[in-house]
Amino acid sequence: MSTTHLQLEPTTRCNFTCGFCCGRKMEQNDLSYETFIQTLTALPNLSQIELQGEGESLMHPRFFEMVDFARSRNVRVSFITNGSFFGEEAVRRILDAGVEKISVSLESADAETFRAIRGGKLEKVIRGIELLLTERKRRGLDRPVVGFSVTVLDRTQDHLDDILSLYERLGLDGGITMQPLQHMPIYTAAYDETTAREMLSPEDVDRVWVRFRSHKRVKKIQKRRHSDLGFHDDLMAGWNPSQRKCPWLEKGLYVDRNGVATACCMVKEERFALGRIGRDSMADIEKRRDEMRAELARGVVPEACGGCELARFAVTSKLGLVLFAIAGLKERMRGKPAPKP
């Protein structure tokens, strides 16, 4: 299977101090511009990239050169940010570059909780988002769309309504993505005791997913979002959790700041590397990924995917059937045929 969706990690450096970020335990360095060029050049069928890893993407000194090169190859660009670098100069360059989508990460719309979790100021992030959207409107642009990327901790399970209110108040249009605190070993090894207590059980994760997908305000927001623009929206489009498939293993690839390629953005351990850019051919890298895809299709979670929620959903149909039942009910209310699980 050829790679159409590529996520690259610009840097592991960050100005925030999120306790659940495994990037804090990694070597603090940047992706070389040469490796970036080499990676994109090796993927002729590439349609979209996400410039995001364990660090703050906008801290890479050549971030906008990366965007410009990708756009010159007609590749769409999106990225996730903590939102703290939206000053006048950054906003100008973002709008000049033609970025498709930006997702701002947060766990809570409460300033004190935000600061306790992230070590940054929510008020500054909000001012930056307002500046970006105001300048976008002044220029008469509709890109980039801006949304939220929400990580759910045990203490923030009931913060969704306030996050939705902030989304609506700011006039965002990029939708909301949600993920639980990761259970994969590379992440849990970086958690201290306090962070470890914030992890949700698999049963709680299922309940959070169902609550999120069935929430009336979430549905309204997701219906209005520009779903064709974001990297993860596009990557996950049409995914059915009961078909023993993972979108990453079907068409995605992750390359870290050292040029190490893995099957997805959550596989960080080098022992699970598919290869290294500049050393291994892209054909060999994709072949190793396809071997993992075949393993999952047999109902076996690949070792590299241990603890991944997508892999769990792919081989355990219970949650998938619940989510598709919800989607089916909604479609039947509109007089349309329900999706097949």
Side-chain angles (χ1 to χ4, degrees):
M1 302 287 287
S2 63
T3 300
T4 57
H5 292 67
L6 172 69
Q7 182 169 338
L8 296 110
E9 179 177 61
T11 183
T12 47
R13 297 183 297 119
C14 188
N15 60 322
F16 277 16
T17 57
C18 306
F20 52 81
C21 177
C22 65
R24 297 177 300 109
K25 303 286 187 177
M26 296 176 175
E27 180 185 6
Q28 302 295 286
N29 61 341
D30 299 336
L31 175 70
S32 75
Y33 187 68
E34 293 70 28
T35 299
F36 173 83
I37 299 295
Q38 191 172 15
T39 305
L40 265 64
T41 303
L43 294 169
N45 296 315
L46 197 62
S47 64
Q48 191 149 351
I49 66 170
E50 174 98 338
L51 288 171
Q52 186 258 332
E54 290 302 319
E56 169 51 44
S57 303
L58 288 172
M59 290 183 69
H60 193 289
R62 304 186 71 173
F63 177 84
F64 290 104
E65 292 179 65
M66 294 180 182
V67 176
D68 289 342
F69 181 79
R71 298 297 295 130
S72 73
R73 297 175 65 87
N74 295 316
V75 175
R76 293 181 291 172
V77 180
S78 59
F79 67 94
I80 299 178
T81 175
N82 63 31
S84 66
F85 286 95
F86 288 156
E88 291 184 3
E89 177 64 13
V91 165
R92 180 188 66 78
R93 298 191 71 178
I94 287 169
L95 295 175
D96 287 347
V99 172
E100 299 280 0
K101 180 178 179 179
I102 299 172
S103 295
V104 179
S105 53
L106 81 170
E107 292 70 47
S108 174
D110 175 74
E112 290 188 10
T113 304
F114 183 95
R115 188 181 184 98
I117 294 172
R118 297 191 148 256
K121 294 182 178 180
L122 179 62
E123 300 88 344
K124 181 180 179 181
V125 172
I126 290 174
R127 287 196 302 270
I129 294 173
E130 290 173 334
L131 176 64
L132 174 62
L133 294 179
T134 298
E135 182 62 15
R136 189 187 76 175
K137 181 178 180 180
R138 189 189 69 79
R139 293 193 187 194
L141 302 175
D142 59 2
R143 305 289 186 274
V145 298
V146 182
F148 283 149
S149 177
V150 180
T151 300
V152 181
L153 284 64
D154 182 65
R155 65 171 137 164
T156 63
Q157 290 187 66
D158 60 350
H159 286 219
L160 178 60
D161 283 325
D162 288 340
I163 291 173
L164 296 175
S165 295
L166 177 61
Y167 180 101
E168 293 162 350
R169 178 169 69 82
L170 291 172
L172 303 188
D173 53 2
I176 296 178
T177 60
M178 188 277 293
Q179 66 174 358
L181 206 59
Q182 295 297 332
H183 282 246
M184 299 183 79
I186 190 65
Y187 288 91
T188 58
Y191 298 163
D192 58 22
E193 290 185 11
T194 300
T195 303
R197 287 196 294 269
E198 297 282 5
M199 296 172 64
L200 303 179
S201 69
E203 294 75 22
D204 284 339
V205 170
D206 291 353
R207 284 190 287 270
V208 166
W209 268 108
V210 171
R211 187 164 64 245
F212 179 78
R213 293 291 296 271
S214 61
H215 197 293
K216 290 182 179 179
R217 293 171 70 192
V218 171
K219 288 181 180 180
K220 185 177 180 180
I221 285 172
Q222 304 297 59
K223 181 180 179 181
R224 291 179 176 177
R225 81 194 192 283
H226 295 271
S227 60
D228 60 326
L229 296 179
F231 176 89
H232 290 97
D233 287 326
D234 201 48
L235 178 68
M236 299 294 293
W239 177 62
N240 184 325
S242 64
Q243 291 181 339
R244 290 184 177 176
K245 290 183 178 181
C246 169
W248 280 99
L249 298 180
E250 296 293 314
K251 54 186 177 183
L253 195 67
Y254 179 77
V255 174
D256 75 6
R257 79 281 183 198
N258 293 321
V260 175
T262 59
C264 88
C265 62
M266 292 183 290
V267 179
K268 309 291 187 185
E269 296 179 77
E270 193 160 350
R271 67 191 179 102
F272 296 131
L274 303 175
R276 186 184 289 269
I277 303 301
R279 184 192 69 190
D280 302 288
S281 71
M282 190 57 67
D284 286 342
I285 289 172
E286 292 181 327
K287 180 181 178 182
R288 293 175 188 127
R289 180 197 60 194
D290 291 346
E291 291 171 354
M292 293 176 63
R293 179 170 61 88
E295 191 173 4
L296 187 64
R298 295 194 300 269
V300 178
V301 175
E303 184 182 1
C305 306
C308 172
E309 295 298 329
L310 287 184
R312 180 171 70 89
F313 294 166
V315 298
T316 307
S317 61
K318 179 181 178 182
L319 179 63
L321 293 175
V322 170
L323 296 180
F324 271 76
I326 293 171
L329 177 60
K330 184 171 86 170
E331 296 302 319
R332 284 194 293 275
M333 291 174 67
R334 294 177 179 171
K336 298 179 181 179
K340 294 181 179 180

